[in-house]
Amino acid sequence: MNPIRYERRRYTTGQTPIEKLERLSQALGGPTISIKRDDQLGLTVGGNKTRKLEYLVADALKQGADTLITCGAVQSNHCRLTLAAAVRDGLKCQLVLTEPATGYEPQASGNHLLFHLLGAEKIEVIPADGDMQPVMEKLAQELASEGRKAYLIPVGGSNEIGTLGYMACAEEIEQQAWETGTPYDYVVTASGSAGTQAGLVAGFLARHSSTQVIGVNVSRDRTTQEAKVLDLLRSTAEMIGLQSEIGAELISCEDRYVGPGYAIPTEEMVEAVKLVAQTEGILLDPVYTGKAMAGLIGMIREGRFAKEDHVLFLHTGGSPALYTVPELFIPKES
Ligand SMILES: *Cc1c(COP(=O)(O)O)cnc(C)c1O
C-alpha cells in the first residue's frame, strides 16, 4: 500500500490545526472533544474538497487536461473549490448544477456568488432530478471538438483518486496524535458523497490505528450510506493494493440527524451551530457540519461515548452557505 506513489498538488501549507474544545466539552459534560480545522485548508474559503482536489487535479494535469468539469448543488462547496483549484493551476472550469426545490435563483448568494467571482467558464443548470453525468460528458465533447481536453470530476470529488486525500488526512491525524500524545478513539465527520469517510477509514486501516470513524449522514438512510461508503472503501483499497480485510464492521453511519432531507434545516442543526459559535467562536455550516455536530451532541446525550474518550470532530468547511440562511439565526422582531 503506498498512496505516496500518487501525484499530489499542494494547496495547503503544513497541517490543519487540531484544537481542544474545552468549553464545548464542558457544556456537554461528555468525552473530551477536539476539532480538526479542515475548514482552514487552502483554496478559497477551505473545506474538505481541497484535500481530494490535490490528487484529482494532479491526475488532470498528468493527463494533459485544460478544463475541469464537475457538478453539484447550487450551494456546492465542491464546485467552489474545484473552480478555485482550476484558477490556481491555470485551468478553465465548467459547472453543472442541479436546480433547487425552490427554483434556480440567478442572484443566489453564498457559494453561487463565488462561482461567478472565481470566473466559471460555463454554468449549466439542470432539473433537480436530472442526471448530471451525461451533461458533463456533453460539455466534454463540445470542448474536444474545439481541440480542448476536459477532466471530469464526479459529485463531491468522491472517486478512488479523490478519496486518497482523506487517506492522507488520516495519516496527518495519526502524526498529530503521536506528537501530542493524544490518540483519538473516534473521528466524527459529516458523510455525503462518502469520500471523506471512506478515505479516513482506509487511512486508519493502513496505519493499523484503532481510531473508529463515525459518519453522520446528510442525505441518505443508514443502510444506503453504509453500503456507499463500503463500496468506495473497497474500490479505493483495490486501486492502491491495500492488503487488509475490509468488512462492513468498519463502516458506521448515523442517520437520525438528516431531518426532512439534504440541505433542509433542522432544529438540532440550528442548536448545534449556535452552541459551537457561542462556546468556541467557530462557524459551522447549515448543510453538513451543523448536522454532523448535531449528531455528535445527540450521541453524547444518549451516552454513546465514555467520559475518558477522546473524540475528534472533523470540520469539513462550508461556511459560505451560512450567509444564505440568516432567517435561521437572527431572532425575529416581535
Ligand atoms: C462535501 C462536504 C461534506 C461531505 O463530504 P463527503 O466526502 O462528500 O462525504 C462535508 N462537509 C462539507 C462542508 C462538504 O462540502
Side-chain angles (χ1 to χ4, degrees), residues 46-49 52 75-78 80-81 111 155-158 163 166 189-198 216 218 220 225 228-229 232 262 285 287-289 292 314-320:
N48 63 341
K49 303 313 178 305
K52 302 177 183 185
Q75 286 301 333
S76 167
N77 300 301
H78 166 69
R80 181 234 315 153
L81 285 164
N111 285 305
V155 180
S158 285
T163 298
Y166 269 87
T189 179
S191 190
S193 64
T196 302
Q197 187 174 359
V216 182
V218 297
R220 298 179 192 84
Q225 187 69 10
K228 190 175 171 66
V229 178
L232 185 56
Y262 175 74
D285 83 284
V287 180
Y288 295 96
T289 54
L314 180 67
H315 192 331
T316 46
S319 68

Side-chain angles (χ1 to χ4, degrees), residues 11-12 41-47 49-50 53 80-82 84-86 88:
Y11 296 132
T12 307
L41 284 165
L43 299 177
T44 314
V45 200
K49 303 313 178 305
T50 296
L53 287 159
R80 181 234 315 153
L81 285 164
T82 301
R88 177 71 67 86

Side-chain angles (χ1 to χ4, degrees), residues 12 44 56-57 61 84 95 101 112 118 158 174 181 184 193 198 203 214 221 224 233 252 262 283-284 309 318 320 326:
T12 307
T44 314
L56 289 163
V57 178
L61 292 170
L95 302 174
H112 179 266
L118 293 166
S158 285
E174 285 291 301
Y184 299 101
S193 64
I214 301 174
D221 67 73
T224 311
L233 172 60
S252 165
Y262 175 74
L283 301 181
L284 300 178
D309 282 342

Side-chain angles (χ1 to χ4, degrees), residues 99-175:
E99 190 174 8
T102 48
Y104 176 65
E105 169 54 69
Q107 297 293 318
S109 173
N111 285 305
H112 179 266
L113 176 162
L114 298 177
F115 300 161
H116 289 274
L117 182 56
L118 293 166
E121 185 180 36
K122 192 175 233 176
I123 296 176
E124 191 142 328
V125 183
I126 67 166
D129 56 356
D131 191 352
M132 298 186 272
Q133 187 64 25
V135 183
M136 292 202 292
E137 282 164 14
K138 184 201 76 184
L139 292 174
Q141 274 166 15
E142 283 169 16
L143 290 173
S145 71
E146 296 165 18
R148 289 170 56 182
K149 186 165 183 193
Y151 183 88
L152 270 56
I153 299 178
V155 180
S158 285
N159 58 14
E160 294 76 15
I161 301 276
T163 298
L164 295 177
Y166 269 87
M167 276 197 83
C169 180
E171 179 75 28
E172 188 174 304
I173 292 169
E174 285 291 301
Q175 279 173 21

